[in-house]
Amino acid sequence: MKNGIEKNSTYYMYLDVLRIIACFLVIVNHTDSRVFLRTSPSETWFLGLTYFFICKAAVPLFLMISGVLLLRKIDSYKNIGKKILRFTIVLIVFSLLYYVDGCLTSNSPISIVSFFTSIYHNPATNALWYMYLYLAILIMLPILQKLANSMKKRDYQYYFFFSFIILGGMPIIVHYIPSAAYSDHFQLFIFSCYIGLLLLGFYIQNYLIINLKKCFIAIAIYIVGIAISVVLTYKEYLSSPKNYLFFDDRTLITVIAPSACLFIVVKYLFDKVHFGEKGKRIIKEIGGCTFGTYLFSDFFIHKLKAVGIEDSLFQTVNPFLAAVIMEIIVFSAGMAISFLFRRIPFIKKLL
């Protein structure tokens, strides 16, 4: 139903396709930077940097997907409590995996007190920071669901203007024109990039009618958005070769706009394409393995580095190709182990 809120639990294949894309891009985000951080501008440098800004869509995509799924109904506090408990358990279990592995690798003593103290303050590994964000979203979910289901189309557009255009655009303006900075006392507390992305996914699903023309416009904006990030980052490099990744910020409009466009294009294409039941089952199964793949991704990245495979790849082939091979290996390994674990009923409920 368009121009209205969908209340049912219909399966949307495009969301699983986006999950798969976003999961792979998370891995890219954690492996691609070596391509350009250790080199100077060249064809490989520009290729790696472009790939890097493409992968910035990972978190916005996950948030927009979550917006479609979490906001389409109003859960009871009991059901939300179950969601919070589930993700808390997953966070603790996988944090423990990374903590124990780190202790064994560094020959450090294992301490339960030290473990809980450390994860209270910081994620056990880089990838798990998103779990903290997601838990915070779940805690706010009773309010967010009621907000999303009561807002009108114009309310969403008003929210997006301040969350994305103002809060996502002003840092860029201030970066180039410091005098444009406004007073710290002017705080738009209710507006947030992360909450905005949740609402944006919900808005696109329920209010945006996507046709071929809008799809082409989205593709054009996506290409231009990525190009702007690359060109401006190159200019940043010329000014400061050791500190030039100002645009590596998922809350900037230069990341949000291309991410939203990618979401729109994938939605349009996979709403139009008709898959057989077998094809749908395959995509649904792969999509269902993405959470586990994400959770294990840093583990496999660390192991490939520890045994020297990463260095060997980067010394043998072009750095960009080496990074892509690394990402495929990590993604495939994560998918395989996630698929196996999901055969176990009680683990499947967590993953």
Side-chain angles (χ1 to χ4, degrees), residues 206-227:
N206 293 287
Y207 291 99
L208 186 64
I209 299 174
I210 307 171
N211 53 31
L212 185 60
K213 180 180 179 181
K214 288 180 181 177
C215 183
F216 276 119
I217 291 173
I219 292 172
I221 293 173
Y222 177 81
I223 294 171
V224 170
I226 297 297

Side-chain angles (χ1 to χ4, degrees), residues 121-137:
H121 294 288
N122 295 293
T125 188
N126 185 34
L128 293 186
W129 77 266
Y130 182 78
M131 292 292 289
Y132 290 75
L133 172 64
Y134 196 79
L135 277 173
I137 288 171

Side-chain angles (χ1 to χ4, degrees), residues 4-277:
I5 296 170
E6 298 188 3
K7 298 289 186 181
N8 57 44
S9 56
T10 304
Y11 169 69
Y12 303 113
M13 186 171 64
Y14 84 90
L15 293 179
D16 272 330
V17 175
L18 284 168
R19 277 198 190 99
I20 296 165
I21 293 171
C23 180
F24 186 77
L25 294 182
V26 166
I27 297 169
V28 173
N29 191 39
H30 296 163
T31 54
D32 177 67
S33 58
R34 179 170 176 173
V35 177
F36 56 88
L37 286 181
R38 300 188 184 186
T39 58
S40 56
S42 62
E43 290 183 358
T44 298
W45 187 89
F46 277 107
L47 190 59
L49 192 64
T50 302
Y51 196 36
F52 179 72
F53 281 111
I54 288 173
C55 83
K56 293 292 107 179
V59 171
L61 287 178
F62 275 132
L63 287 169
M64 286 186 278
I65 293 167
S66 297
V68 175
L69 298 174
L70 292 177
L71 302 179
R72 61 183 171 181
K73 63 178 181 177
I74 298 177
D75 287 297
S76 66
Y77 279 93
K78 181 178 180 181
N79 286 338
I80 291 173
K82 289 180 180 178
K83 287 183 174 71
I84 293 172
L85 178 61
R86 174 199 171 196
F87 278 90
T88 300
I89 292 172
V90 172
L91 175 59
I92 292 173
V93 169
F94 277 86
S95 294
L96 185 61
L97 167 69
Y98 284 103
Y99 173 79
V100 171
D101 181 61
C103 288
L104 293 176
T105 302
S106 61
N107 293 317
S108 302
I110 297 173
S111 165
I112 294 298
V113 173
S114 173
F115 165 68
F116 279 104
T117 300
S118 65
I119 67 167
Y120 178 78
H121 294 288
N122 295 293
T125 188
N126 185 34
L128 293 186
W129 77 266
Y130 182 78
M131 292 292 289
Y132 290 75
L133 172 64
Y134 196 79
L135 277 173
I137 288 171
L138 291 179
I139 290 170
M140 294 185 285
L141 195 54
I143 309 302
L144 293 176
Q145 287 180 335
K146 294 179 178 66
L147 180 67
N149 283 270
S150 63
M151 288 170 63
K152 305 300 180 185
K153 187 174 182 179
R154 181 63 66 185
D155 299 325
Y156 281 101
Q157 294 168 352
Y158 181 82
Y159 193 96
F160 298 149
F161 175 78
F162 285 99
S163 293
F164 303 146
I165 305 301
I166 301 302
L167 296 183
M170 278 303 295
I172 299 174
I173 294 173
V174 172
H175 179 67
Y176 291 110
I177 311 173
S179 61
Y182 50 76
S183 170
D184 290 338
H185 298 293
F186 180 70
Q187 294 287 338
L188 297 170
F189 295 108
I190 197 172
F191 296 99
S192 159
C193 167
Y194 294 128
I195 301 302
L197 286 165
L198 281 174
L199 293 173
L200 181 58
F202 185 75
Y203 175 85
I204 292 172
Q205 173 60 40
N206 293 287
Y207 291 99
L208 186 64
I209 299 174
I210 307 171
N211 53 31
L212 185 60
K213 180 180 179 181
K214 288 180 181 177
C215 183
F216 276 119
I217 291 173
I219 292 172
I221 293 173
Y222 177 81
I223 294 171
V224 170
I226 297 297
I228 287 173
S229 291
V230 172
V231 170
L232 292 180
T233 298
Y234 174 62
K235 291 185 175 181
E236 293 281 315
Y237 177 88
L238 296 178
S239 300
S240 179
K242 294 184 178 180
N243 183 26
Y244 59 90
L245 289 179
F246 168 80
F247 289 92
D248 176 18
D249 184 344
R250 66 186 67 86
T251 66
L252 295 179
I253 188 63
T254 47
V255 172
I256 294 169
S259 302
C261 289
L262 179 57
F263 188 97
I264 289 169
V265 171
V266 171
K267 182 181 187 306
Y268 177 78
L269 293 177
F270 282 86
D271 278 350
K272 293 293 183 182
V273 175
H274 296 286
F275 282 77
E277 289 303 313

